């Protein structure tokens, strides 16, 4: 590592009104993208008209503050706010270039090339970025499925280490890097209008005197629960908190568990998951949640007070309330697949960042991911009830 990387205050300034060329910050405006059924190969729609966001003419661009970009550090991975600014770090061993994409409240996208790379980690420190900032990545690199590489800068990618995510995924074909009518043809439509955003969060929280109860296993009585199922119809929980983390921390729930002698609550998936287009097209949702896309982010639909990082504070408050009642919190997780499914699934995060690093590929056929398809295609969770 060069000496200047050890000093985050080494400055590099770029203007958000830069031209649309690599090496400068690129200002883009997102456009709406029509939703379509992307779940059935038998009724696959033809490729839509391109929806790539186009730069606004120079004379029509709003005034934008100058963005300072410092080298930052390669670790820890993810977006980490230190009370002043935010360090961004993304691992990709195949990337040739990486763009950090920042979004304002209107959906305007500002692209910042990450020029610092150490041990396959691309990084930068932005002193102006605060909690609540929406962001994503675009990774430039080889798109060579036969060798297991699926980099595609037209796809906005979620940060695998994001601690919060906002929005939902819709059924747009733009999420896929191939044409439904002919998988051998590339689909390079911009996926930004159709996907979620990662969110910078504040790490600060008043845990007070919190300590995990740490009950001995032979004295542990576990109660498995679903955040929404446990609270949605409970008449003792305020209506605006039903189906949420805050609702689960209500005295009505905790007192009930204490009366049963429960020492630990095991929550069914609370990591950020995706509702498959197969279900969205029917006006349904994935109730069980075994379709993870963000392993470090609480599922935003279970938040009562906001999804711009507020879900993290709410989740921590829930855990703190259980600990105060001498109840441990365990999490049910799924690691044998993600919401990207198999090799024919959408490009949402891991696949576009470093497919061969994040997924186990089939020996002798690197174009095929051995990961099972997402639950909407075939239920692969232990309970086999994802799509019930």
């Amino acid at each position: 590592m060069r000496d200047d990387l050890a000093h985050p205050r080494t400055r590099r300034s770029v203007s958000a009104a830069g031209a649309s060329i690599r090496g400068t910050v690129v200002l883009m405006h997102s456009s709406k993208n029509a939703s379509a059924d992307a779940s059935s190969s038998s009724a696959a729609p033809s490729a839509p008209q391109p929806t790539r966001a186009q730069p606004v003419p120079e004379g029509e661009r709003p005034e934008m503050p100058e963005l300072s970009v410092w080298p930052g550090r390669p670790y820890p991975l993810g977006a980490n706010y230190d009370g002043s600014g935010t360090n961004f770090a993304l691992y990709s061993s195949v990337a040739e270039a990486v763009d950090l994409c920042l979004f304002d409240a209107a959906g305007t996208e500002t692209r910042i090339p990450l020029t610092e790379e150490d041990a396959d980690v691309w990084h930068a420190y932005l002193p102006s970025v605060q909690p609540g900032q929406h962001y994503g990545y675009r990774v430039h690199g080889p798109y060579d499925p036969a060798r297991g590489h699926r980099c595609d800068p037209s796809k906005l990618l979620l940060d695998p280490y994001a601690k919060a995510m906002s929005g939902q995924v819709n059924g747009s074909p733009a999420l896929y890097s191939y044409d439904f009518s002919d998988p051998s043809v590339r689909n390079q439509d911009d996926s930004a209008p159709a996907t979620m955003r990662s969110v910078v969060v504040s790490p600060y929280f008043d845990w007070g005197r919190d300590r995990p109860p740490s009950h001995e296993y032979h004295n542990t009585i576990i109660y498995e629960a679903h955040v929404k199922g446990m609270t949605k119809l409970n008449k003792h929980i305020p209506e605006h908190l039903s189906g949420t983390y805050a609702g689960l921390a209500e005295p009505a729930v905790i007192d009930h568990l204490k009366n049963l002698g429960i020492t630990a609550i095991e929550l069914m998936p609370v990591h950020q998951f995706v509702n498959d287009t197969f279900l969205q097209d029917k006006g349904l949702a994935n109730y069980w949640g075994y379709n993870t896309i963000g392993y470090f982010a609480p599922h935003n639909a279970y938040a009562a007070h906001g999804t711009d990082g507020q879900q993290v504070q709410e989740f921590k408050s829930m855990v703190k309330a259980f600990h105060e009642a001498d109840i441990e919190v365990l999490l049910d997780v799924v690691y044998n697949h993600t919401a990207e499914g198999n090799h024919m699934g959408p490009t949402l995060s891991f696949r576009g960042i470093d497919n061969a690093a994040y997924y186990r590929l089939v020996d002798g056929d690197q174009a095929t991911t051995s990961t099972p398809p997402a639950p909407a295609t075939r239920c692969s969770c232990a309970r086999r009830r994802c799509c019930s």
Side-chain angles (χ1 to χ4, degrees):
M1 182 181 296
R2 300 197 310 272
D3 290 340
D4 65 331
L5 298 186
H7 303 284
R9 294 188 179 276
T10 301
R11 294 185 175 228
R12 293 188 180 184
S13 297
V14 292
S15 171
S20 301
I21 57 175
R22 290 204 51 73
T24 63
V25 172
V26 180
L27 179 66
M28 306 288 282
H29 282 259
S30 62
S31 57
K32 294 184 178 179
N33 197 1
S35 175
D37 182 359
S39 61
S40 173
S41 59
S42 61
S46 58
Q49 293 298 315
T51 58
R52 299 184 186 86
Q54 297 296 325
V56 176
E58 292 288 346
E60 299 179 16
R61 288 178 179 167
E63 290 293 327
M64 295 288 289
E66 184 180 76
L67 291 175
S68 293
V69 182
W70 303 349
R73 300 177 184 275
Y75 292 99
L77 295 172
N80 293 277
Y81 176 69
D82 61 9
S84 178
T86 303
N87 191 82
F88 294 89
L90 179 75
Y91 171 84
S92 177
S93 63
V94 297
E96 297 167 357
V98 174
D99 290 333
L100 169 65
C101 306
L102 304 180
F103 293 85
D104 65 15
T108 303
E109 177 182 352
T110 302
R111 299 184 188 179
I112 302 173
L114 300 185
T115 59
E116 303 293 337
E117 184 260 329
D118 294 277
D120 297 328
V121 177
W122 303 75
H123 55 90
Y125 182 90
L126 276 68
S128 62
V129 170
Q130 303 292 302
Q133 174 68 60
H134 289 201
Y135 73 98
Y137 292 101
R138 296 183 187 272
V139 175
H140 303 256
Y143 184 85
D144 186 356
R147 297 175 55 204
H149 303 315
R150 296 179 180 270
C151 296
D152 185 348
S154 70
K155 310 310 174 194
L156 181 73
L157 305 174
L158 292 165
D159 183 351
Y161 286 82
K163 299 176 182 67
M165 295 179 180
S166 182
Q168 295 294 334
V169 171
N170 68 35
S172 172
L175 296 171
Y176 298 76
S177 291
Y178 62 90
D179 190 323
F180 288 165
S181 60
D182 183 356
S184 66
V185 176
R186 290 285 302 278
N187 176 2
Q188 294 181 292
D189 293 340
D190 184 15
S191 71
T195 192
M196 307 165 69
R197 309 280 190 265
S198 303
V199 183
V200 176
V201 304
S202 171
Y204 306 109
F205 178 79
D206 183 9
W207 284 103
R209 302 173 60 139
D210 179 83
R211 294 291 185 277
S214 300
H215 297 294
E216 296 291 339
Y217 284 142
H218 67 281
N219 291 325
T220 297
I221 302 176
I222 301 174
Y223 188 107
E224 185 182 40
H226 186 285
V227 172
K228 191 172 183 178
M230 186 80 173
T231 63
K232 189 66 176 177
L233 301 179
N234 190 326
K235 63 182 180 180
H236 299 294
I237 295 176
E239 185 176 355
H240 70 285
L241 298 181
S242 64
T244 69
Y245 303 120
L248 199 62
E250 280 288 293
V253 175
I254 293 178
D255 291 346
H256 172 67
L257 296 177
K258 293 294 291 182
N259 289 337
L260 292 176
I262 300 303
T263 65
I265 183 170
E266 178 183 348
L267 298 179
M268 298 175 70
V270 293
H271 307 91
Q272 186 65 54
F273 61 87
V274 169
N275 283 314
D276 312 276
T277 56
F278 163 76
L279 300 173
Q280 292 182 40
D281 292 341
K282 297 181 178 181
L284 302 175
N286 185 324
Y287 176 76
W288 301 109
Y290 292 92
N291 202 26
T292 306
I293 194 61
Y295 288 96
F296 298 96
H299 186 57
N300 56 27
Y302 296 155
H305 304 304
T307 62
D308 287 337
Q310 296 92 337
Q311 63 264 50
V312 177
Q313 301 293 314
E314 186 177 329
F315 188 90
K316 290 179 177 179
S317 295
M318 176 197 70
V319 172
K320 184 178 179 181
F322 277 119
H323 285 180
E324 288 177 349
D326 201 33
I327 297 175
E328 293 180 87
V329 179
L330 310 177
L331 302 183
D332 186 358
V333 298
V334 54
Y335 292 121
N336 70 338
H337 68 265
T338 74
E340 289 184 310
N342 64 9
H343 55 286
M344 300 301 288
T347 298
L348 306 175
S349 179
F350 313 98
R351 170 171 290 124
I353 295 171
D354 194 335
N355 184 60
Y358 278 109
Y359 292 115
R360 185 177 65 186
L361 306 179
V362 174
D363 291 340
D365 183 9
Q366 298 293 288
T368 303
T369 306
S370 60
T371 306
T377 304
R378 186 182 76 196
C379 180
S380 56
C381 72
R383 297 173 178 78
R384 302 193 67 77
R385 62 188 183 188
C386 302
C387 309
S388 301

